[in-house]
Amino acid sequence: MTTQPPAPHIEFDGRPATEETLRIPALYGFGHFTALQVRDGRARGLGLHLARLDAANRELFGLPVDGDRVRGLIRHALDGAGRRDASVRVNAYQPPGATRTTLMVTVREPAVMPSGARSLMSVPYARTAPHIKRPGEFGQTYYGVLAGRAGFDDALLTAPGGVVTEGAATNIGFRDGVSVVWPDAPALTGITMALLEQGLERAGRPSVRRPVTLDGPDGVGRFSAAFVCNSQGIAPVRRIDDTVFAVDEELMKDLGAVYDSAPEDTV
């Protein structure tokens, strides 16, 4: 028998979800969010998450989002859920007629990316306004389902011309033997990716952004290794379509150490 995960704890602006407030994400899906892992009431890259929410809210709704308000709502939701370790999402919406952004905080059990090497199926899909993290992305879910049916772990999104952009719910990076290479293409700069870039630079091993394509001189086959990352962690990539990569244990160890060195902030 499959055990269902516990239902999430959901609050809107610091109050428990009701039938009325749940209509907001159900009927007014235009919005944005950030997702973070909290351990013992602390989170890596918290300032980046708050900046992401504020920037997206200004762009979508013309209003700021106060970081102290967000932190207070996260703390309140964690207390309401009775958790110090959790997966947390903060969604921002502005229903018609509202003058203030509604913040929905969802608290679930903590999550960790599976440690096994991942297989990715390339798909022709580029997100609109990819720099904004937003809910209800049909294309990512659709192609993720197709990738699973084809025997892959996830989808790899590509722009016209086979330009590699990002994973369906991850950033992707490569190793060219010297540097960590991130695709230079329209994509969401994930918080984990940003922390890795900062950490590699501090360690004197700056990463670079360069065009990456499926084929040709900038093709994925020229790289010795690949990996994906998001708020749940970092995992190696063992293949993209028919291109096979060896798991670079040294690279994965280094990336893990760089990520672990990022300071944790109290929510």
Side-chain angles (χ1 to χ4, degrees):
M1 179 182 295
T2 301
T3 302
Q4 294 295 323
H9 177 79
I10 305 174
E11 295 184 0
F12 286 81
D13 294 329
R15 293 180 292 275
T18 64
E19 181 178 341
E20 180 179 358
T21 54
L22 285 171
R23 290 194 182 103
I24 295 173
L27 300 178
Y28 309 109
F30 184 70
H32 61 96
F33 76 98
T34 198
L36 58 153
Q37 292 295 316
V38 176
R39 299 294 184 269
D40 194 26
R42 301 172 68 85
R44 286 188 173 87
L46 181 60
L48 296 175
H49 284 285
L50 299 178
R52 164 191 279 174
L53 289 171
D54 183 64
N57 213 69
R58 290 174 186 269
E59 183 170 344
L60 295 186
F61 305 132
L63 293 171
V65 170
D66 181 71
D68 288 338
R69 177 190 172 202
V70 175
R71 293 173 73 174
L73 292 175
I74 293 175
R75 289 195 299 270
H76 192 275
L78 288 170
D79 289 344
R83 288 187 177 275
R84 296 279 293 171
D85 299 339
S87 300
V88 174
R89 276 178 59 146
V90 181
N91 283 65
Y93 301 99
Q94 190 157 345
T99 58
R100 189 187 193 203
T101 302
T102 294
L103 296 180
M104 179 181 77
V105 181
T106 303
V107 176
R108 299 176 184 268
E109 65 277 9
V112 178
M113 182 180 289
S115 59
R118 313 285 284 170
S119 59
L120 306 177
M121 183 179 82
S122 65
V123 299
Y125 182 72
R127 298 190 303 115
T128 302
H131 62 288
I132 296 178
K133 189 174 181 68
R134 57 189 185 272
E137 195 69 56
F138 175 85
Q140 289 169 267
T141 303
Y142 172 75
Y143 282 116
V145 169
L146 291 188
R149 289 176 181 170
F152 292 82
D153 295 306
D154 210 344
L156 177 65
L157 311 185
T158 64
V163 174
V164 174
T165 60
E166 57 191 330
T170 59
N171 288 113
I172 186 166
F174 300 87
R175 187 172 190 177
D176 65 1
V178 178
S179 304
V180 170
V181 179
W182 307 96
D184 185 10
L188 178 74
T189 299
I191 304 302
T192 300
M193 173 183 169
L195 292 174
L196 289 174
E197 284 187 301
Q198 294 171 3
L200 288 167
E201 186 172 6
R202 285 195 304 270
R205 293 160 38 218
S207 55
V208 298
R209 299 196 185 196
R210 293 206 304 263
V212 177
T213 55
L214 293 175
D215 302 301
D218 297 317
V220 297
R222 70 185 296 268
F223 296 102
S224 60
F227 64 93
V228 291
C229 61
N230 64 14
S231 64
Q232 296 182 7
I234 310 165
V237 171
R238 62 183 173 87
R239 70 177 173 120
I240 297 174
D241 298 333
D242 294 328
T243 300
V244 178
F245 300 91
V247 175
D248 189 327
E249 299 291 354
E250 180 183 0
L251 172 65
M252 299 310 300
K253 182 179 178 181
D254 287 348
L255 292 173
V258 166
Y259 181 72
D260 289 343
S261 71
E264 294 180 305
D265 303 304
T266 300
V267 171

